[in-house]
Amino acid sequence: MQDAALRLKKIAEQLIGAPLPVRIRAWDRSEAGPPGTPVLVVRSRRALRHLLWKPGELGLARAWVAGDLDVDGDLFAALDLLAEFIWERGEDARSLRDALRDPTFRAAARELLALSAPFLPPSPPPEEMRRHGRLHRHTKGSDRQAISHHYDVGNDFYELVLGPSMVYSCAYWESPDATLEGAQRDKLELVARKLALKPGMRLLDVGCGWGSMAIHAAREHGVNVVGVTLSQEQAAYARKRIAEEGLTDRIEIRVQDYRDVRDGPYDAISSIGMAEHVGAERYLEYAHDLYALLKPGGRLLNHQIARRPQADESAYSVDEFIDAYVFPDGELAPVGSTVGLLERAGFEVRDVEAIREHYALTLRRWVANLEAHWPEGQRLTSPGRARIWRLYMAASALAFERNRIGVNQVLAVKTRENGTSGLPLRARDWTA
């Protein structure tokens, strides 16, 4: 009788059609595969049942979140070796129906079934987002539920991961050796300079998070800020920080949908890491709403993750792991689509800065923070959710490094009736 690890290695190589690039350790402590590589640990037969009942990425995710699948060694190295088999299969990847026509694939599936017994469907981990149909995405109610799922998991947990800056978006790095806090401060200042913030101006911070941009704008530039978020926990934390800074007369934090903001016009709007939650079918509405809230001559800084365009855009689908466990209903669009929709809403797009590598550096620091405090991180939220954050941040860092996704700051202006933009002839003075 072969040991479990050797059987799993043979099954995996039949399914992927290539040598397995990592080592496997099974529940019976047997090991197989190339030495000197990260070890994929299959702690229980239940991991196999997750895969059989939900083949593909979601089954792998469930096994990971449940703790039945793990990596011993460098997680980044393991994901880098496995990326082409999990995330980078390309548009010509076989569907499950096509794969089942392959005798080799069917033989591997039968072997996996025999090894996984008893063949009972395991329950999804409790951290998985539960849905009742997908007919009403991006309503105010569904967006509120999605935001709560991602952000209301404990402010103490986010403090551990994000560090003192409490900024949950891409930092702006002078060098890889800079501190995370310094790089986040530089990002906030970059946004403020692009918006040309001055004392007495009104800033709307859409998706204000834990208040970092609002505090920076008010404290460093004398701006009056309204920040809106759908997260109760974020709002409570931001208000406490603002009170401690003595800025309650300049900053108002609301638990409010951006679609319900009615007290414009504002001199400037920042939207940092929020537009990914809007959804393709709502994006033009989002752009129109922000345009209406700006004064003539006002500026919008839209900081947003982007994906690469596809040959057939109608075939785009949201990543199963991200949708179920991280950002429910989150959607990425190519930067060209975003620019086009902002222009359709009336904006003049004046600058696009791609800062993809900066997000990879940021995510690696967040992963390091979590790994350095791993027992505490699990205690502050749940073991399953800590595993989700570690996997998604590490995988996202590699995706930015490989140019599978990017992030861009788009500066747009609501030009005055006579066409003037209010920008200087050499607008990029913010890079000085």
Side-chain angles (χ1 to χ4, degrees), residues 129 131 138 145-146 149-150 277 322-330:
M129 179 74 166
R131 288 188 176 87
H138 299 297
Q145 182 185 19
H149 176 88
H150 185 78
H277 296 289
I322 297 293
D323 193 44
Y325 288 102
V326 186
F327 292 107
D329 294 342

Side-chain angles (χ1 to χ4, degrees), residues 170-174 182-184 186-187 190 353 355 358 362 431:
C170 173
Y172 196 65
W173 299 84
E174 182 176 352
Q184 290 292 14
D186 288 349
K187 190 272 300 297
L190 178 68
E353 183 176 5
I355 52 175
H358 294 254
T362 306
T431 62

Side-chain angles (χ1 to χ4, degrees), residues 202-214:
R202 294 186 76 213
L203 169 69
L204 174 63
D205 188 25
V206 181
C208 64
W210 292 272
S212 298
M213 181 63 205

Side-chain angles (χ1 to χ4, degrees), residues 19-331:
L20 190 66
V22 297
R23 195 163 177 81
I24 286 184
R25 182 184 305 140
W27 55 88
D28 63 354
R29 299 186 180 181
S30 61
E31 292 194 16
T37 63
V39 180
L40 188 64
V41 183
V42 185
R43 299 193 187 282
S44 153
R45 295 175 189 264
R46 187 172 60 177
L48 310 184
R49 295 197 288 274
H50 277 298
L51 272 171
L52 285 163
W53 283 95
K54 186 60 72 170
E57 187 177 329
L58 186 56
L60 285 168
R62 287 177 173 177
W64 175 271
V65 177
D68 298 318
L69 196 64
D70 204 349
V71 167
D72 184 1
D74 188 329
L75 178 60
F76 288 100
L79 293 175
D80 200 33
L81 289 167
L82 292 169
E84 65 178 293
F85 306 114
I86 302 175
W87 295 290
E88 297 176 4
R89 291 158 295 182
E91 296 178 15
D92 59 346
R94 295 186 303 175
S95 68
L96 180 60
R97 180 180 298 178
D98 292 337
L100 288 173
R101 296 193 183 105
D102 184 337
T104 302
F105 185 94
R106 291 202 305 271
R110 285 195 297 269
E111 178 72 5
L112 192 64
L113 178 61
L115 195 56
S116 71
F119 191 59
L120 297 173
S123 299
E127 292 84 1
E128 186 168 314
M129 179 74 166
R130 300 296 196 272
R131 288 188 176 87
H132 302 286
R134 298 295 298 271
L135 297 178
H136 302 293
R137 297 201 318 169
H138 299 297
T139 63
K140 293 177 184 178
S142 68
D143 281 354
R144 191 180 310 112
Q145 182 185 19
I147 293 299
S148 178
H149 176 88
H150 185 78
Y151 293 104
D152 292 340
V153 301
N155 290 328
D156 291 342
F157 176 75
Y158 275 107
E159 278 187 333
L160 184 149
V161 173
L162 304 180
S165 67
M166 284 300 280
V167 180
Y168 192 28
S169 55
C170 173
Y172 196 65
W173 299 84
E174 182 176 352
S175 77
D177 299 324
T179 66
L180 175 61
E181 288 69 38
Q184 290 292 14
R185 182 179 60 250
D186 288 349
K187 190 272 300 297
L188 298 177
E189 180 60 18
L190 178 68
V191 172
R193 294 181 69 180
K194 287 182 176 181
L195 291 173
L197 297 183
K198 295 179 177 61
M201 291 176 64
R202 294 186 76 213
L203 169 69
L204 174 63
D205 188 25
V206 181
C208 64
W210 292 272
S212 298
M213 181 63 205
I215 290 170
H216 183 88
R219 184 182 60 211
E220 305 298 330
H221 296 273
V223 175
N224 298 310
V225 188
V226 171
V228 296
T229 176
L230 293 178
S231 167
Q232 295 283 353
E233 290 191 18
Q234 283 186 334
Y237 187 98
R239 289 166 183 154
K240 182 174 182 293
R241 290 178 72 193
I242 290 161
E244 290 170 351
E245 291 274 352
L247 294 170
T248 53
D249 60 329
R250 290 188 181 178
I251 305 173
E252 178 188 0
I253 300 296
R254 305 173 185 167
V255 179
Q256 186 178 36
D257 193 290
Y258 72 92
R259 288 165 283 196
D260 293 329
V261 177
R262 296 287 183 267
D263 60 346
Y266 288 86
D267 298 286
I269 298 176
S270 54
S271 179
I272 307 171
M274 177 271 175
E276 298 89 340
H277 296 289
V278 170
E281 70 265 34
R282 297 282 188 182
Y283 202 92
L284 186 58
E285 176 187 353
Y286 159 83
H288 275 299
D289 285 348
L290 299 192
Y291 185 84
L293 286 166
L294 272 176
K295 290 180 179 178
R299 301 183 192 183
L300 164 70
L301 192 286
N302 190 76
H303 177 118
Q304 182 177 341
I305 298 172
R307 60 176 172 83
R308 303 291 298 171
Q310 296 184 181
D312 178 10
E313 279 294 314
S314 66
Y316 167 69
S317 60
V318 179
D319 181 282
E320 287 186 300
F321 167 60
I322 297 293
D323 193 44
Y325 288 102
V326 186
F327 292 107
D329 294 342
E331 296 178 55

Side-chain angles (χ1 to χ4, degrees), residues 76 356 360-361 364 396-405:
F76 288 100
R356 172 173 62 83
L361 290 169
R364 282 183 175 269
S396 296
L398 292 172
F400 282 108
E401 289 169 356
R402 286 172 169 242
N403 194 24
R404 289 179 51 237
I405 53 177

